[in-house]
Amino acid sequence: LILARHHDQNDREQRETHTNTHKNTQTNKMAGGPTINDKFPNLEGATQSQDDFDLYKYLGDSWGIVFMHPGDFTPVCTTELGEAALREEEFTKRNTRLCGFSCNDSESHKSWIADIEVATKGKVNFPLFCDPNRDAAAGLGILDETNKDAKGLPLTVRSVFILKPDKTIALMMTYPASTGRNFDEIIRVLDSLQLTVSNSVATPVNWKQGEDVIVNFPLSNADADEKFGKDGYRIVEVPSESGKTLAKNYLRYTKA
């Protein structure tokens, strides 16, 4: 009887351990990493062309974009880095420097970059950071334990980090392995971020450079009068505000 009870207890403990392990697998697919407004960790190490790369020094006072890739010689990432290279001048005009990131060494990067140029006509001149041991990826919280390579090592998720000159994260985008990034959208949101960081405005849905923007919600109408001039913005009439005298109408447009 005692042995039977001991056996039952062991069974229950094993079931509980299995259940908890399953829950952890489901809920802890990726370790937490930095998010919007956090300072992006410095990347120090090798790239395809140097052994002493320092992301902070490379960026200086510029904006930055870091593109994460799970590994070299991956087809979707090949097209993305080629597109980044082809459009690097557009980013330069916006005082923005590019940096790629992939979990391979410098020799692998060099070989992949040669393929990228032939396949896309884009010459990758910006740094491609090396992280063959996943040390930096682990610190960034971008390893997906449910998606592993042939060696059983977790792959990085395909994230984009847009960094302000103070190295804080202004925006993050994460794509599945099956979907290529949209560089028109990356440039669009970069334009929005650079406009709104120092002006009291926000950009509406589908906004593009040169279109009207929204007066920041925290500003009262009196504040908006002072900031933009009494005729410098327009109030959108909506039913919820009809017939009311308000200190602050919530939807107001002005010129960018």
Side-chain angles (χ1 to χ4, degrees):
L1 181 61
I2 292 173
L3 287 174
R5 286 176 178 171
H6 181 69
H7 181 71
D8 289 343
Q9 183 178 351
N10 284 343
D11 281 349
R12 284 196 300 271
E13 288 175 353
Q14 288 174 4
R15 285 195 298 271
E16 288 173 0
T17 300
H18 175 76
T19 300
N20 290 336
T21 301
H22 179 72
K23 287 180 179 178
N24 288 338
T25 301
Q26 294 299 312
T27 58
N28 296 324
K29 292 180 180 179
M30 289 188 294
T35 188
I36 290 176
N37 293 325
D38 288 345
K39 192 163 188 178
F40 189 83
N42 195 12
L43 298 178
E44 297 176 286
T47 67
Q48 77 273 26
S49 59
Q50 64 182 106
D51 295 325
D52 58 349
F53 176 76
D54 183 303
L55 178 66
Y56 286 4
K57 289 181 180 178
Y58 167 70
L59 294 178
D61 295 327
S62 300
W63 287 67
I65 300 182
V66 182
F67 300 101
M68 300 295 174
H69 300 280
D72 295 357
F73 309 105
T74 47
V76 175
C77 297
T78 296
T79 65
E80 292 174 334
L81 283 173
E83 183 70 8
L86 289 168
R87 301 180 73 163
E88 188 172 10
E89 186 176 339
E90 294 183 54
F91 292 104
T92 300
K93 289 177 181 177
R94 291 165 169 82
N95 188 34
T96 301
R97 307 195 80 178
L98 307 180
C99 179
F101 180 110
S102 183
C103 293
N104 296 88
D105 61 26
S106 60
E107 291 304 313
S108 177
H109 282 1
K110 290 174 187 176
S111 181
W112 187 28
I113 286 170
D115 282 2
I116 292 169
E117 184 173 2
V118 170
T120 69
K121 310 306 179 187
K123 187 171 184 178
V124 177
N125 294 314
F126 51 85
L128 185 55
F129 189 77
C130 305
D131 190 31
N133 297 320
R134 274 57 167 186
D135 294 334
L140 287 165
I142 57 169
L143 289 177
D144 184 355
E145 296 291 343
T146 68
N147 191 13
K148 298 184 179 182
D149 65 12
K151 297 179 181 179
L153 295 173
L155 297 173
T156 60
V157 294
R158 296 173 54 259
S159 293
V160 179
F161 295 90
I162 298 183
L163 311 181
K164 298 177 186 177
D166 65 1
K167 313 302 182 292
T168 58
I169 299 170
L171 180 141
M172 300 165 58
M173 303 181 192
T174 299
Y175 292 76
S178 59
T179 303
R181 298 175 174 116
N182 186 322
F183 273 77
D184 290 334
E185 174 64 3
I186 290 171
I187 290 174
R188 189 191 77 85
V189 297
L190 177 61
D191 286 339
S192 172
L193 291 167
Q194 292 185 337
L195 174 67
T196 59
V197 73
S198 57
N199 297 284
S200 299
V201 296
T203 55
V205 62
N206 297 330
W207 176 88
K208 294 183 181 65
Q209 196 172 46
E211 296 178 349
D212 287 357
V213 294
I214 293 173
V215 175
N216 258 3
F217 185 67
L219 292 183
S220 67
N221 289 348
D223 292 333
D225 289 345
E226 184 175 345
K227 180 77 176 178
F228 305 105
K230 289 190 175 183
D231 297 322
Y233 65 97
R234 60 184 173 86
I235 297 171
V236 177
E237 296 182 2
V238 292
S240 64
E241 296 181 345
S242 179
K244 300 176 183 177
T245 301
L246 301 171
K248 177 174 64 179
N249 297 86
Y250 81 83
L251 186 54
R252 300 160 294 177
Y253 283 89
T254 188
K255 297 294 182 184

